[in-house]
Amino acid sequence: DPDMPFVPSIPEDQFILVEEGDPAVIPCRTSDPDAQVTLVNSLDKSVYALYDTKQGFIGNFPAGSYTCKTMVKGVEFKSDEFLIYIIRATSQLPVEIEALKTVYKTGETIVVTCVVFDNEVVNLQWNYPGKVKEKGLIKLDDIKVPSQKLVYTLTIPEASVKDTGDYECTARHATKEVKENKKVVITVHDKGFIHLEPQFSPLEAVNLHEVKNFVVDVQ
């Protein structure tokens, strides 16, 4: 198509996540397989890389903005802008889940934390009893020092007995088909349920070498 030499790209194709050291594909493809295509960076300087008409430019590119150019009958056309992001990632997904406590009373605030180590970009999803009602508040802290970790915190304010159940976080790798999930069981009681009845006085005396028993009924 001489009026549209570059095949239109979808928005998802314009944001390219690449792991450190891995080659990337800048997917500017032409409707004419014989077209001469040039790749330029944000400074409009030519970037030399292998071009495949079915894929686009292939190579190890620094992070930044890239555009493709071609000429059709003396008229210059530009492709959409492509943004490359270099991310730190590992082939595995080290994930840990923790809760300050696993037993709560009605009205207390449940806090569960899911931590992903050594990966800068992941897709993380929570599953928990109150998810349908969107009861949880989710916060992300991206910590770089002393090591890379993503800390996802799920907070459930004003917990009720209905919030009892499995709290699960599932992390998916940004560039690989790798996922990891961890789970913790949370119990919420309507009220405190322990009753103590000591069968001795607040102050007790005992003779030297005497053995004395202190009994408490627990309900």
Side-chain angles (χ1 to χ4, degrees), residues 21 60 82 86 111 135 146 155 164 194 201:
N60 290 85
F82 297 92
I86 308 296
V111 179
K135 190 173 181 180
T155 304
T164 294
I194 296 176
S201 304

Side-chain angles (χ1 to χ4, degrees), residues 46-108:
S46 296
V47 178
Y48 297 97
L50 174 68
Y51 185 70
D52 183 318
T53 56
K54 295 182 180 180
Q55 296 185 67
F57 284 98
I58 304 169
N60 290 85
F61 305 105
S65 168
Y66 295 86
T67 308
C68 302
K69 294 181 178 180
T70 190
M71 297 286 289
V72 177
K73 296 179 181 179
V75 179
E76 183 181 78
F77 287 84
K78 289 184 178 181
S79 71
D80 292 323
E81 181 183 40
F82 297 92
L83 298 172
I84 291 184
Y85 295 91
I86 308 296
I87 61 172
R88 186 183 308 165
T90 58
S91 57
Q92 301 299 317
L93 269 180
V95 178
E96 289 183 4
I97 191 170
E98 61 181 29
L100 295 177
K101 57 182 184 176
T102 56
V103 178
Y104 291 84
K105 290 190 298 182
T106 296
E108 292 186 320

Side-chain angles (χ1 to χ4, degrees), residues 178-216:
V178 178
K179 74 173 184 177
E180 184 72 29
N181 66 296
K182 291 293 174 70
K183 181 177 71 173
V184 64
V185 180
I186 300 290
T187 304
V188 182
H189 293 284
D190 185 37
K191 59 183 178 180
F193 57 90
I194 296 176
H195 177 68
L196 302 178
E197 189 171 332
Q199 298 181 2
F200 50 87
S201 304
L203 179 63
E204 293 279 351
V206 76
N207 294 323
L208 187 63
H209 303 305
E210 179 186 356
V211 175
K212 190 165 187 175
N213 292 323
F214 296 87
V215 180
V216 180

Side-chain angles (χ1 to χ4, degrees), residues 147-200:
S147 59
Q148 172 65 46
K149 62 181 179 180
L150 299 172
V151 181
Y152 296 85
T153 304
L154 172 66
T155 304
I156 311 290
E158 295 293 326
S160 70
V161 175
K162 293 181 180 180
D163 292 309
T164 294
D166 294 344
Y167 285 70
E168 184 179 52
C169 67
T170 302
R172 286 181 171 81
H173 204 287
T175 58
K176 295 184 176 67
E177 291 298 320
V178 178
K179 74 173 184 177
E180 184 72 29
N181 66 296
K182 291 293 174 70
K183 181 177 71 173
V184 64
V185 180
I186 300 290
T187 304
V188 182
H189 293 284
D190 185 37
K191 59 183 178 180
F193 57 90
I194 296 176
H195 177 68
L196 302 178
E197 189 171 332
Q199 298 181 2
F200 50 87

